[in-house]
């Protein structure tokens, strides 16, 4: 039996991939039911990935290349706050508005939307841990006696773990949601 837990999953279970087989990723943008909102939603996912990569790159630059601590702290606060807040808001909108419509439109995939909702709860825990690690690192940057490289290493480790979680969730979400939208010509 395939894992459904986000931390253990390596893709959607086959039972949830039925529409993806009909609507593979390569045809999404050329499909007549692919609209501006779907494009915007996918762009949001890309934005999350890019913000996370930028945060990781900046943290690595601080550790490896001696990036200015003040600039690094500003970037950590700005990118961290942006990414965490935007993900919370994005997931809330999906859970409250999009997933109920999508689930009702394609009842045989309702379990998939429950899976994505469970992912959001797991991601909330990860975001809370990431927030704590970022705040700890930001506090260390203010403390002349703190080992800021160690706290930067801790946040980088947390970011790398979070990247695995986030990428798995985003890929699975895209592969479930977009085929449903294309198949049913849904407009939100």
């Amino acid at each position: 039996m395939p894992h459904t837990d986000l931390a253990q999953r390596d893709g959607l279970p086959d039972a949830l991939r039925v529409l993806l087989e009909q609507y593979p990723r390569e045809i999404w943008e050329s499909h007549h039911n692919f609209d501006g909102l779907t494009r915007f939603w996918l762009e949001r996912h890309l934005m999350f990935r890019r913000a996370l990569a930028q945060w990781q790159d900046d943290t690595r630059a601080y550790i490896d290349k001696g990036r200015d601590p003040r600039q690094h702290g500003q970037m950590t606060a700005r990118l961290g706050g942006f990414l965490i807040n935007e993900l919370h808001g994005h997931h809330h909108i999906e859970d409250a508005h999009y997933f109920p419509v999508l689930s009702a439109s394609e009842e045989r995939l309702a379990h998939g939307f429950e899976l994505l909702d469970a992912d959001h709860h797991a991601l909330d825990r990860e975001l809370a841990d990431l927030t704590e690690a970022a705040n700890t690192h930001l506090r260390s940057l203010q403390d002349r006696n703190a080992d800021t490289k160690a706290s930067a290493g801790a946040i980088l480790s947390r970011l790398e773990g979070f990247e695995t979680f986030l990428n798995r969730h985003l890929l699975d979400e895209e592969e479930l949601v977009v085929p449903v939208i294309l198949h049913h010509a849904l407009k939100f």
Side-chain angles (χ1 to χ4, degrees), residues 54-76 136-156 159:
Q54 187 179 1
W55 192 2
Q56 289 172 302
D57 289 347
D58 186 78
T59 304
R60 282 187 198 99
Y62 177 73
I63 293 169
D64 299 336
K65 300 175 186 130
R67 174 146 164 69
D68 177 71
R70 189 172 145 273
Q71 290 176 336
H72 168 65
Q74 289 172 343
M75 182 68 82
T76 294
T136 297
H137 179 53
L138 289 170
R139 284 190 297 273
S140 79
L141 290 170
Q142 301 299 315
D143 181 351
R144 292 180 184 264
N145 298 318
D147 183 353
T148 60
K149 299 288 185 177
S151 68
I155 187 120
L156 185 58
L159 289 168

Side-chain angles (χ1 to χ4, degrees), residues 10-31:
D10 61 0
L12 287 172
D14 288 342
L16 298 177
R17 299 177 66 82
V18 293
L19 285 180
L20 181 63
E21 291 173 11
Q22 275 183 267
Y23 302 94
R25 189 177 286 268
E26 308 79 62
I27 65 132
W28 290 355
E29 289 191 41
S30 64
H31 193 279

